[in-house]
Amino acid sequence: ERIRRLIITLGDDNKKIVGQIRGLAGALEDDVDLHGELLAETLLDCSKHIPLKTGIYAAWVAKMMDKHPSWAAALVPKVLGELQTALRTGQATVAQLLLQFVVSLGSYGALGLTSVLRLVKEVLELSDGLRPSKGGDLGAFLALASLLYLSPAARAKVPAGQVEVLLSQAGAY
C-alpha cells in the first residue's frame, strides 16, 4: 500500500516536482527487485487514469532507468501492450493517455525518438480509409494530441521535417 500511495501522490505538490521525482526514485530503489511488478502495475494504472501527471510519471521512469534499466526496459512492452489493447477495444481516453506517456518517455530520453514517432505515425495511420463517422478520426486525434507531449528539446533532436510530416498527414485527414 505504501508503494502505491507514493506513486499515486507523485507530483501532488507542484512546487517540488523535481525533488519528488528524485526522492521517489531513491525511496523505491530497494523495492524494485522485490516489488517491481507492483511498481509497474501502479504506474500503468496511474498513467491511464491521471491525465495531469503523464509527464511526471514519464520523468520518474527516466530517473529510474539510471539505476534500474532492466525494470524500465521491461515496462515498455507492458505500456505498448496496454496501448494496443486500448486501441483494439476502442478505449480512446486510455489510448490517448498511454500514447502521451510514450511520447513523454521519448522526450525524457527513456525511449528513442525515432521509435516513438514511428509509433505515432502508426497510430495516425489507423485513420486511413475510414470515415470520421466510423471512428476514422481516432488515429488522427490521438496522434495530434500526443505530439503536444514532445518537448521542445526533444523536437530539436528529431530529424528535420519528421514532425511536420506527421502534422501534414493528420491535416490531410
Side-chain angles (χ1 to χ4, degrees), residues 16-111:
K16 303 175 184 178
I17 293 174
V18 173
Q20 288 179 39
I21 291 168
R22 287 185 188 134
L24 184 60
L28 296 178
E29 184 175 334
D30 295 333
D31 294 315
V32 172
D33 292 334
L34 192 57
H35 302 290
E37 190 61 34
L38 175 63
L39 289 168
E41 287 175 20
T42 304
L43 178 68
L44 273 169
D45 285 344
C46 290
S47 297
K48 292 189 296 189
H49 301 292
I50 307 176
L52 297 177
K53 295 184 181 183
T54 305
I56 294 169
Y57 291 126
W60 178 67
V61 170
K63 187 69 177 168
M64 291 291 285
M65 280 186 74
D66 294 342
K67 295 197 177 179
H68 299 284
S70 60
W71 176 81
L75 178 68
V76 173
K78 292 176 185 180
V79 172
L80 295 177
E82 291 281 332
L83 174 59
Q84 187 176 46
T85 299
L87 288 168
R88 284 186 177 156
T89 58
Q91 298 176 31
T93 302
V94 171
Q96 178 185 353
L97 293 172
L98 288 173
L99 190 57
Q100 289 171 354
F101 179 67
V102 170
V103 172
S104 295
L105 287 172
S107 288
Y108 286 108
L111 291 176

Side-chain angles (χ1 to χ4, degrees), residues 99 103 116-124 143 146-147 166:
L99 190 57
V103 172
V116 167
L117 291 177
R118 186 174 29 242
L119 175 63
V120 171
K121 184 177 188 316
E122 289 173 8
V123 170
L124 174 62
S146 71
L147 288 175
L166 287 172

